[in-house]
Amino acid sequence: MKIEAKELTKMYGEGENRIIALDKAALEIAQGDFISITGPSGSGKSTLLHLLSGLDRPDSGSLAYDGREIYGLTDRELSAFRRRCIGFVFQQFHLLPVLTARENILMPLLLDKKQPDEAYLGQLAELLGIADRLNHLPHELSGGQQQRVAIARALIAKPEVIFADEPTGNLDSKSGREVMELLKTVGEKMGKTLVIITHDNRIAAMSKRRFSIVDGILTEEVLG
Ligand code: ADP
Ligand code: MG
């Protein structure tokens, strides 16, 4: 899946309160890329991620996945597109507390009325080191394990692209690093595109292409 974003601009507020959260952001992402985006709090990182993943629409600009214009889709088409093509990982793991790890992972398939692929679930659980945790409830898991369950959930519908917004923000640095290493390994093994927002430079350093964003202006860092 090739992603092409052009001149994405997003504003909030009116009159004097108007702020430009994102100012003409342009970005091309190839299948299998691993991209990190860093920047201070309030710089527009989440806004960019929401636009790139079709969770939100810009005031102007365009976004295409393999040449297909995303903002031209109706809300219903857009949410179907997200369910099939994109996996999300958030800072708060957003696991449902009354469901086991296994049920949480399978939730996106249930919502899409698809049958679980047990072999694939087993493979994901193995890769992510949670095979012996699948029948546990979230509160019986460590933060790192909960995030690994959330990563399995993001991958269960076999999307080509994973967007992660501060995926290690709620973890101590050791489990944060482990979670990132796993995400990277799974991404590489399965040929997924990864777009990760982080304020941790050590995590950004693991990516293939690094972007930074300041006051809504996105720039790619040229690595020497
Ligand atoms: P980051 O993720 O880098 O911390 P955000 O993308 O969340 O930054 O926010 C960028 C700017 O847009 C901030 O000034 C924020 O206050 C503002 N903003 C974000 N979402 C909204 C919203 N729904 N309504 C008004 N302002 C918003
Ligand atoms: Mg944010």
Side-chain angles (χ1 to χ4, degrees):
M1 197 75 89
K2 183 179 180 200
I3 307 173
E4 271 185 285
K6 289 188 190 146
E7 309 247 320
L8 292 179
T9 297
K10 181 80 181 176
M11 293 181 269
Y12 292 110
E14 298 294 330
E16 332 185 316
N17 296 324
R18 163 154 289 196
I19 62 141
I20 303 181
L22 196 64
D23 194 0
K24 298 196 179 113
L27 180 61
E28 277 190 27
I29 307 174
Q31 178 62 42
D33 255 357
F34 176 11
I35 284 178
S36 66
I37 301 165
T38 51
S41 180
S43 58
K45 301 182 298 296
S46 295
T47 300
L48 175 63
L49 186 124
H50 292 160
L51 294 177
L52 287 176
S53 59
L55 277 173
D56 200 1
R57 297 171 189 271
D59 290 289
S60 59
S62 68
L63 174 71
Y65 275 65
D66 279 346
R68 182 184 187 199
E69 278 301 330
I70 296 305
Y71 303 133
L73 302 176
T74 63
D75 286 351
R76 177 191 279 263
E77 290 167 338
L78 195 55
S79 75
F81 158 77
R82 281 197 310 268
R83 277 202 307 277
R84 295 201 183 111
C85 299
I86 295 176
F88 290 96
V89 180
F90 299 100
Q91 176 173 355
Q92 324 286 345
F93 321 122
H94 291 311
L95 299 177
L96 293 171
V98 297
L99 300 183
T100 63
R102 183 193 151 81
E103 290 163 342
N104 268 288
I105 295 169
L106 294 175
M107 186 48 86
L109 298 181
L110 293 180
L111 293 174
D112 218 15
K113 300 190 177 67
K114 281 197 201 134
Q115 285 303 311
D117 176 343
E118 289 294 337
Y120 181 61
L121 170 62
Q123 188 194 349
L124 281 178
E126 205 58 55
L127 272 173
L128 291 164
I130 48 172
D132 59 349
R133 287 285 171 272
L134 292 179
N135 294 321
H136 289 261
L137 293 169
H139 77 87
E140 298 168 329
L141 305 174
S142 70
Q145 288 170 338
Q146 290 185 53
Q147 193 59 305
R148 286 184 264 151
V149 169
I151 291 170
R153 179 184 55 190
L155 287 159
I156 196 71
K158 304 180 182 170
E160 288 185 34
V161 189
I162 302 287
F163 286 98
D165 195 347
E166 304 268 10
T168 63
N170 268 348
L171 302 174
D172 61 72
S173 58
K174 182 167 171 284
S175 31
R177 232 195 128 68
E178 281 166 11
V179 159
M180 272 309 302
E181 294 282 359
L182 282 168
L183 197 51
K184 186 178 176 185
T185 306
V186 171
E188 281 168 359
K189 283 206 169 135
M190 299 186 169
K192 308 292 185 196
T193 303
L194 294 178
V195 181
I196 312 257
I197 286 178
T198 179
H199 56 248
D200 183 337
N201 275 315
R202 281 172 311 170
I203 282 175
M206 294 166 67
S207 68
K208 199 157 76 180
R209 296 170 66 199
R210 294 177 66 164
F211 287 78
S212 63
I213 184 164
V214 177
D215 290 338
I217 296 181
L218 179 73
T219 40
E220 180 158 10
E221 296 179 14
V222 180
L223 302 174

